[in-house]
Amino acid sequence: MTIIVDTKPARIDPNNVASNIAVRSQTWGDTAQVLNMARGFGAVLIAPHFVGEVVPTQTSNTYRYRATPTLADSILVWIVNCYSAAPSVQFTPTYSTAVQIGVPGTFGQLPVYILDSVTAQPLIDTQYTLTITTGSGSTCTVQSIALVEMPRTALASTEGGVDTNTLRIGDPVYDIAGASYTAIGASVGGVMGVARRVGQQHWFRVVPFTSTSTTLVDTFTVNRPVLNRRITSTAATRTVTVRVYADSLVSPGEIEVSGVKAASTVTIAIPVAAAAWSAANQILVDTEEAGTVNGLRGGTFDTIRVRCRTTVAGGTVRMYGVSIWESENDG
Amino acid sequence: MSFAELQNYIRQDFATLTDSDAGVDALTARLMVNNAQHAFDQSAQTLCNWSDTSLANATYSVTTTPTIIFLCGPFPARLRPDIGFYLYRMRAHIARTGADPVEFRFSVGPINVLQNHLRQTGTLASVFSTSVNTASTTTVTPASSIRQAFYTSVPTSYGPITTKDDAGNIVGASAPLMYVGVSARSTVGTQTARLAGLYVAEYVGTP
């Protein structure tokens, strides 16, 4: 079986599929190619966010994120904008061993890349960590962090693609596993369910945002844009999954996450315990709107607002991170 | 918005397609093609997303020579079936802390083109530039034609990547790669530019 992942999609004329004429092998082949690319091209799991944090000398800072991968077997690339007076800094990605990498001395240079090979990871909500360790000589200023799945060259037979080797112009569509229209139908379902769970916005700092107020306080002074993909014709809103990494001191706290335009809010209880990820919550946000030059629904961005509070005076809520990505199977 | 005939996903009962010995009617086949195209249209990615005016270390000392203050990528770029890039929707939060205006330039493109364009001055089709003359953060976004602002040619964008094949072997390959970059320059002397937020997302755009 050969499931090639191309780098540019075929253009398919729907008028080639009509009553009283056979569906051409090329039409099925082009459809399979488009699906294989959508399935195997990878995703930006963590969109770059500004960290703005200095890792002190002889210190390890661990940055934590959550995302749902689209590929079980892949090369993950951490893209880190950082600079240091030291010639190199140590990075420890999620799956691979630590590596010592040379870093720029000033801002505005090319990022540092840390390749992380993963095999057979389940396509479920997963924690990804990157630890940055400095030596005794210098600090390291971390500007931004991102995580990207590299596109695969080909998919295995178990990964939901369509066998393109059996689809040839002039040949009938083979009635075998992974090749017929049965496989194309299954692949459409797989792509819609898995390959569009892309990252929307992430944020993590080792030095947390803290609040001692009993009224809600904005974590970010400006709300962050968000737009989900449009799936069905009527879906003006769709859900994103939200998890926060936080803890509370003395008394429990709360973190409220809202889709501002869609007017959808979830309040997450933060217990007095060691910092941990909250359970997954979902809120509604706008989807892109067809026919507009920039896809904005009603001409304006939807935004995510994050606020914190402690429930009892004297307490402190500490928010280290938030990860938000498109939910699956809600189209 | 879409290269799919119906511009959205049509629910299909895939359980009816499990008998590959059965014929498939034209409507079912056409919807499958539509759904495949729409699924790809909607595979666009968010390439940058942060905004917070209180961020530390988000200020940069710049002179009248354009200086790259932020550069991130590569991101494997989605190409449209007409072999153009997806459009790039962006928004930024910028400010200056000195007395005189600071000009910011934003671009998405292959690394060589991007760096060259960010370091130039004057009007460039592939760059969105704007000046800011307030200490409080201003939200800016390109007006209407995002494609024109960021369009770059496809052949120059292909670059090497390390990835895996169907057997899990680590292999080299080539893919269209995009970087996101921001530069800033002062109009007078040395100023401090502040980049407090940046959002860039792919969008399939209007064919």
Side-chain angles (χ1 to χ4, degrees), chain B:
Chain B
M1 169 71 185
S2 176
F3 282 85
E5 180 183 20
L6 302 174
Q7 301 198 358
N8 55 263
Y9 178 73
I10 304 296
R11 293 184 195 282
Q12 289 185 283
D13 183 2
F14 295 116
T16 64
L17 301 174
T18 54
D19 182 2
S20 55
D21 286 332
V24 58
D25 63 273
L27 176 61
T28 298
R30 199 151 170 163
L31 290 182
M32 289 167 74
V33 171
N34 171 81
N35 285 345
Q37 289 178 302
H38 184 70
F40 188 82
D41 283 345
Q42 296 302 302
S43 67
Q45 306 288 305
T46 302
L47 304 188
C48 270
N49 197 356
W50 82 82
S51 57
D52 189 351
T53 57
S54 65
L55 285 167
N57 301 303
T59 56
Y60 308 91
S61 179
V62 295
T63 65
T64 52
T65 301
T67 301
I68 295 175
I69 60 174
F70 180 73
L71 186 62
C72 196
F75 303 102
R78 265 64 179 172
L79 296 179
R80 300 160 19 142
D82 62 0
I83 313 302
F85 285 104
Y86 277 39
L87 310 190
Y88 295 96
R89 177 175 55 230
M90 72 151 286
R91 189 165 94 157
H93 302 282
I94 55 177
R96 62 101 179 99
T97 59
D100 295 295
V102 169
E103 182 189 86
F104 286 82
R105 301 166 76 81
F106 302 88
S107 190
V108 182
I111 187 65
N112 53 338
V113 177
L114 180 86
Q115 287 186 308
N116 185 31
H117 286 184
L118 287 175
R119 288 184 173 130
Q120 294 180 39
T121 59
T123 303
L124 282 171
S126 61
V127 173
F128 167 62
S129 65
T130 186
S131 289
V132 62
N133 194 22
T134 60
S136 58
T137 306
T138 302
T139 301
V140 295
T141 190
S144 56
S145 183
I146 303 174
R147 180 194 303 185
Q148 188 178 29
F150 292 103
Y151 190 79
T152 53
S153 63
V154 172
T156 60
S157 73
Y158 272 75
I161 61 169
T162 301
T163 183
K164 290 189 177 181
D165 63 13
D166 52 342
N169 301 312
I170 295 177
V171 296
S174 179
L177 302 174
M178 283 293 169
Y179 289 74
V180 177
V182 183
S183 69
R185 73 182 189 96
S186 70
T187 53
V188 180
T190 300
Q191 305 286 337
T192 302
R194 188 172 191 194
L195 178 64
L198 182 62
Y199 169 85
V200 179
E202 290 177 321
Y203 171 66
V204 70
T206 306

